Amino acid sequence: MLEELLIFTRGGLILWSSCRALGGAALKGSPIDALIRSCLLEERSAETSFSQDTYELKWTFNNDLGLVFAAVYQRMLHLLYVDDLLAAVRKEFSQIYDPKRISYDDAFNEIFRQLHLEAEARSEEMKKNKQVIRSRPTKISNNKKTTPGSRDTAQDSNGDSGNGDSDGGSGKERSKPNGNTKVQENRVKDNSHAHTVVVKGKENGDPNDGAFDVSKLQMLRKNKVRNNDGARDVSKNTPKPNQKKPNQKKNRIWDETPSDRKLDFTDPADKRGDKVIDQVDLNQGTSMMDKDDAVSSDEGEEDGEENAGAEQGEKNDTASTQKKGWFSSMFKSIAGNNVLEKSDLQPALRVLKDRLMTKNVAEEIAEKLCESVAASLEGKTLGSFTRISSTVQTAMEEALLRILTPRRSIDILRDVHAAKERGKPYVVVFVGVNGVGKSTNLAKVAYWLRQHNLSVMLAACDTFRSGAVEQLRTHARRLQIPIFEKGYEKDPAVVAKEAIQEATRNKSDVVLVDTAGRMQDNEPLMRALSKLINLNSPDLVLFVGEALVGNDAVDQLTKFNQKLADLSTVPTARLIDGILLTKFDTIDDKVGAALSMVYISGAPVMFVGCGQSYTDLKKLNVKSIVKTLLK
């Protein structure tokens, strides 16, 4: 049974609802709102269906009119006529649609009833046809039915008619007319499960056909051994030339005068390390988080985009010329009456998909993005003097901006002051896989918070990796920040809880919790992480990921969120809230990992690590990333 069919505009205006017009029961929850938030706004509109609680939702678009048609039904019913009904409703409603009209309750009620009955009747007829087809007895052809007698007869006939042309058979191996030999019985037993296939009058079922002779293999091995022995004797008799010792590698001198700069800061000048700390504070300066970086090389990027658009346009023009002729395609581009079809969009989308993949975007994400853009453009009318390639490029740019722009506020400083007014410390937990730089970037965040006159405390909850506590202790000593530690082999959830209690007593503003690196498939460590998050309820869960990864970014974030949801002890599971991208200075223009992570998780990129000093922490410049992806 169909629960609701809703027709609304892209701007959110509801034009017609089956529940409102026909008096149906109201839906539990807000499945349509969930569809808009999770699919339509996140560029997942190319997916076939969406599940929310006990409901299943399907939808279609009329992009030329800017309309959305959504159907809601119970997930357990598996209604087969929903797609057919949506297509019929879209066709009929588009004919009576008027942009100035906002209600269609009277005009569309009878039309929908008729379309609904017709769709249900077609679905019932299809079910009956399928049942009739299944109930028919399946006929087994005689040539596929193999018996010992028939197999022997086929072998005899093939042997007689082949005139010695069979691949592996010989006169001695041919079966006798009575078929009583042991060789024939063994062949029938071994190959009774195989189908008899006749090609050019010969039967392809003989196990000796195409078999390799073992005696030939042994002969080849003997010859190879002899040749190797002969080669060894020749090499022994041949005098060896004088071999020179390889040159040892020398240290490369980059400059004429080597630098006397001290690189090892682990040894403080005194026990407290005051001199080292003063030097760090004086030299490092303001964090890049507080600097507004403008997009560089705009002109070059725009030129690259124009050249790429011209290349796409030339390819697309060539394809359209072959289909419709040069004059008709030129006339339609001038008149602006060309309605976009999926086949028209495929060449430009294929170029965009390849470009995104070269920028390190996961293949699955690039494919979904192109499908979503195609779904949003299909049926639209192309404007005058407008190329299809430029239209697709603009739609993709808008989609990428919509995905990468955060849906909520990511102002951590404001959230810290709000928690301070409540008398509680703001707790941030850093999670991620091994070796991505969690501890280093935690120290960068601490340095940035400290510059805003906030008191910060570090919690050493990586009780698994050797040296993790000492590493965090070094950062705390250099930044003059207190650290809470309990050593190794302790429960990290308990350590984090005690650290938060200590911060509350000392009236610290922020607690930064360092956790052990773990692979997404490590069940014990993922269970420990879920316990830490559920027990302490942090204000922010940051996933630290490398900007170098491609397809693995999707797997990491998906499994992290899945494990946190599965192992959660509360009804509403706590998932990843934000992303910190590290090693961003090593990837040049391969910035696709940011898009892959945001698309798969829905969490915004809150920090970007771009160096090895404490100041090398930036905000993500969304416009710059989009330009780089499409360059």
Side-chain angles (χ1 to χ4, degrees):
M1 177 182 173
L2 190 68
E3 296 289 336
E4 184 179 12
L5 194 142
L6 193 68
I7 304 173
F8 56 96
T9 64
R10 292 271 189 180
L13 177 63
I14 299 176
L15 300 176
W16 187 84
S17 171
S18 61
C19 290
R20 185 178 66 187
L22 305 179
L27 299 178
K28 295 180 180 179
S30 302
I32 298 294
D33 293 343
L35 170 68
I36 295 172
R37 285 194 305 268
S38 302
C39 290
L40 304 186
L41 294 180
E42 291 293 323
E43 292 301 324
R44 304 173 197 267
S45 55
E47 297 181 2
T48 56
S49 62
F50 172 72
S51 299
Q52 174 70 16
D53 297 333
T54 60
Y55 297 113
E56 189 82 8
L57 292 88
K58 290 191 175 184
W59 62 92
T60 186
F61 303 103
N62 187 324
N63 293 312
D64 197 21
L65 301 177
L67 301 178
V68 183
F69 305 84
V72 186
Y73 59 95
Q74 292 290 337
R75 191 190 304 177
M76 64 180 68
L77 295 181
H78 301 288
L79 300 182
L80 301 177
Y81 64 86
V82 175
D83 294 327
D84 190 15
L85 178 62
L86 282 173
V89 168
R90 179 181 62 182
K91 180 180 178 182
E92 295 295 333
F93 190 84
S94 300
Q95 294 177 359
I96 65 171
Y97 174 69
D98 183 7
K100 298 179 181 179
R101 190 173 179 179
I102 60 174
S103 179
Y104 294 83
D105 291 346
D106 299 331
F108 196 66
N109 291 351
E110 284 300 324
I111 299 175
F112 175 74
R113 286 195 186 96
Q114 186 65 25
L115 294 176
H116 193 193
L117 291 175
E118 292 176 0
E120 285 183 335
R122 283 193 295 269
S123 177
E124 291 296 329
E125 186 177 352
M126 288 175 60
K127 287 182 181 179
K128 290 179 181 178
N129 292 337
K130 287 182 179 180
Q131 291 176 358
V132 170
I133 293 172
R134 289 176 182 174
S135 61
R136 289 177 183 173
T138 55
K139 294 182 180 180
I140 302 174
S141 58
N142 294 329
N143 59 351
K144 291 185 180 180
K145 202 170 183 180
T146 306
T147 58
S150 63
R151 185 176 178 82
D152 295 339
T153 305
Q155 288 177 355
D156 289 338
S157 62
N158 290 337
D160 295 337
S161 61
N163 294 330
D165 193 31
S166 61
D167 293 335
S170 62
K172 295 179 182 180
E173 294 176 351
R174 292 176 186 167
S175 60
K176 295 180 181 180
N178 55 7
N180 293 327
T181 61
K182 294 182 179 179
V183 177
Q184 292 170 351
E185 292 175 359
N186 292 333
R187 285 181 183 175
V188 172
K189 289 180 181 178
D190 295 339
N191 297 285
S192 60
H193 63 281
H195 295 290
T196 304
V197 182
V198 178
V199 180
K200 295 183 181 180
K202 294 192 289 186
E203 182 184 0
N204 297 334
D206 195 347
N208 292 327
D209 289 345
F212 186 79
D213 192 357
V214 180
S215 60
K216 292 181 181 180
L217 180 62
Q218 295 175 353
M219 292 294 293
L220 289 172
R221 286 178 177 173
K222 289 180 181 178
N223 293 334
K224 189 174 182 181
V225 170
R226 291 174 185 172
N227 294 334
N228 291 337
D229 293 339
R232 287 173 186 170
D233 295 338
V234 171
S235 63
K236 287 180 181 179
N237 297 329
T238 303
K240 295 182 179 179
N242 295 329
Q243 295 182 353
K244 296 181 179 180
K245 294 182 179 180
N247 295 329
Q248 295 182 353
K249 186 176 180 181
K250 298 180 180 179
N251 294 330
R252 179 176 295 178
I253 300 175
W254 294 96
D255 298 320
E256 294 181 358
T257 56
S259 175
D260 296 331
R261 183 182 176 185
K262 183 181 178 182
L263 299 178
D264 185 9
F265 292 102
T266 56
D267 248 350
D270 56 3
K271 292 183 180 180
R272 293 180 58 189
D274 292 338
K275 291 185 180 180
V276 174
I277 293 167
D278 294 339
Q279 186 178 4
V280 170
D281 290 342
L282 290 172
N283 292 342
Q284 303 250 339
T286 307
S287 175
M288 293 183 182
M289 282 290 294
D290 301 321
K291 298 177 182 179
D292 295 330
D293 292 333
V295 181
S296 59
S297 65
D298 287 345
E299 297 177 357
E301 290 175 355
E302 290 175 359
D303 293 338
E305 290 176 7
E306 290 176 1
N307 294 334
E311 292 175 2
Q312 292 178 12
E314 289 172 2
K315 292 181 180 178
N316 203 28
D317 286 344
T318 304
S320 62
T321 302
Q322 293 175 356
K323 289 183 180 179
K324 304 173 184 178
W326 178 84
F327 183 76
S328 60
S329 62
M330 181 61 70
F331 178 77
K332 285 192 174 183
S333 65
I334 294 173
N337 294 327
N338 191 10
V339 178
L340 293 176
E341 298 177 358
K342 196 168 186 179
S343 58
D344 301 329
L345 300 170
Q346 286 305 319
L349 288 173
R350 200 177 300 115
V351 173
L352 273 182
K353 179 186 173 184
D354 294 340
R355 189 182 302 171
L356 289 174
M357 290 175 62
T358 57
K359 302 294 183 181
N360 218 14
V361 178
E363 182 180 3
E364 176 188 356
I365 306 302
E367 181 71 29
K368 288 183 178 180
L369 276 172
C370 291
E371 290 177 357
S372 179
V373 170
S376 64
L377 291 178
E378 189 177 357
K380 276 191 174 182
T381 303
L382 194 65
S384 302
F385 298 101
T386 306
R387 293 177 180 269
I388 295 178
S389 57
S390 59
T391 304
V392 173
Q393 180 101 355
T394 304
M396 179 63 77
E397 186 175 353
E398 292 174 356
L400 295 179
L401 283 171
R402 198 157 44 244
I403 291 169
L404 291 173
T405 303
R407 292 178 293 172
R408 58 179 178 81
S409 174
I410 56 173
D411 190 355
I412 294 181
L413 297 177
R414 187 189 66 179
D415 297 338
V416 169
H417 287 294
K420 188 176 180 180
E421 291 177 357
R422 297 193 300 267
K424 295 181 180 180
Y426 188 81
V427 182
V428 184
V429 176
F430 292 76
V431 303
V433 299
N434 308 77
V436 295
K438 288 184 297 299
S439 302
T440 304
N441 285 275
L442 179 145
K444 293 179 184 179
V445 174
Y447 180 83
W448 171 65
L449 292 171
R450 187 170 171 273
Q451 284 194 323
H452 288 271
N453 300 321
L454 295 172
S455 58
V456 183
M457 189 176 77
L458 307 184
C461 296
D462 185 357
T463 61
F464 183 78
R465 175 175 65 90
S466 299
V469 176
E470 287 80 6
Q471 179 185 5
L472 205 64
R473 191 187 302 154
T474 302
H475 287 302
R477 186 176 66 243
R478 295 189 63 202
L479 297 175
Q480 286 184 326
I481 292 175
I483 180 173
F484 186 89
E485 55 174 288
K486 287 291 184 179
Y488 296 99
E489 297 183 358
K490 301 292 191 301
D491 189 353
V494 177
V495 175
K497 186 176 182 180
E498 293 178 359
I500 295 171
Q501 293 173 353
E502 180 70 17
T504 305
R505 286 192 294 268
N506 296 336
K507 296 183 179 180
S508 297
D509 299 328
V510 185
V511 179
L512 302 180
V513 180
D514 185 30
T515 61
R518 65 207 76 211
M519 297 306 294
Q520 58 268 28
D521 298 319
N522 193 324
E523 182 75 20
L525 287 180
M526 290 303 299
R527 193 175 294 277
L529 178 63
S530 177
K531 179 183 177 183
L532 186 149
I533 293 175
N534 292 329
L535 181 64
N536 297 285
S537 299
D539 298 283
L540 183 65
V541 179
L542 272 182
F543 179 84
V544 184
E546 285 182 330
L548 303 168
V549 295
N551 290 322
D552 197 39
V554 177
D555 186 58
Q556 288 177 9
L557 269 170
T558 303
K559 290 188 176 178
F560 258 82
N561 271 334
Q562 188 63 42
K563 290 290 184 182
L564 291 177
D566 294 342
L567 301 174
S568 176
T569 57
V570 294
T572 55
R574 184 65 183 277
L575 304 180
I576 291 170
D577 301 318
I579 299 169
L580 193 157
L581 276 178
T582 65
K583 307 175 185 177
F584 212 74
D585 54 324
T586 64
I587 58 172
D588 194 20
D589 62 343
K590 304 293 189 295
V591 296
L595 177 63
S596 300
M597 290 183 178
V598 173
Y599 186 89
I600 203 66
S601 66
V605 176
M606 307 185 74
F607 300 101
V608 175
C610 54
Q612 297 182 0
S613 62
Y614 289 135
T615 60
D616 294 330
L617 194 70
K618 289 184 178 181
K619 298 176 183 178
L620 185 71
N621 193 329
V622 175
K623 292 183 179 180
S624 174
I625 295 296
V626 172
K627 285 188 176 182
T628 305
L629 285 171
L630 298 178
K631 184 169 66 173

